[in-house]
Amino acid sequence: MERKKPIEPFFWSLFGAGGTVSALFLPVLLVITGIAIPLGWINPSFDQLRALLDPWYSRLLILVIVSLSMFHWAHRFRFTLHEGLQLHPYDKPIAILCYGFAFGVTAFSIIVLLVY
């Protein structure tokens, strides 16, 4: 009888990678888009922003940041509900909803980055 391999290590690796990427990139992005641009410290034109986002590697970086951050959130939220709120009987539906949402946001990001 063949043993089924657990998928849990895959999600733990996405959790770790997402935490690292979130810690490195999100503070900078939040300062730029949430403080510097609204206060006028940086005043980019649409053409400058478009030139920044046109290369494939810029879009890939955005996709990596968004998708890994979402998987980090999904794993953390799942275990908050599982351990913190003691929702042990609902672990499978919670996992499906959390990781499904992360996959959905990743798919939406891919579509947006390919179209625009």
Side-chain angles (χ1 to χ4, degrees):
M1 187 165 127
E2 187 177 324
R3 258 180 93 186
K4 185 179 176 185
K5 292 184 179 182
I7 195 167
E8 194 68 26
F10 172 71
F11 290 115
W12 276 105
S13 65
L14 287 175
F15 171 75
T20 302
V21 166
S22 297
L24 288 175
F25 291 106
L26 287 182
V28 174
L29 291 174
L30 289 174
V31 167
I32 291 171
T33 60
I35 297 172
I37 292 176
L39 291 178
W41 298 345
I42 301 173
N43 199 6
S45 68
F46 179 77
D47 293 333
Q48 290 171 326
L49 289 176
R50 186 70 182 174
L52 182 67
L53 298 176
D54 267 344
W56 64 270
Y57 49 84
S58 295
R59 293 171 187 235
L60 181 63
L61 181 63
I62 291 170
L63 178 65
V64 166
I65 292 170
V66 168
S67 66
L68 289 179
S69 296
M70 286 307 301
F71 279 103
H72 181 79
W73 166 85
H75 201 72
R76 184 173 290 263
F77 190 70
R78 173 188 172 202
F79 279 96
T80 297
L81 294 177
H82 181 76
E83 298 293 332
L85 297 179
Q86 302 295 316
L87 297 176
H88 301 293
Y90 306 108
D91 187 47
K92 290 277 189 209
I94 288 171
I96 290 169
L97 287 173
C98 288
Y99 297 126
F101 184 75
F103 275 116
V105 169
T106 299
F108 180 73
S109 299
I110 290 170
I111 292 168
V112 168
L113 290 172
L114 286 177
V115 170
Y116 292 106

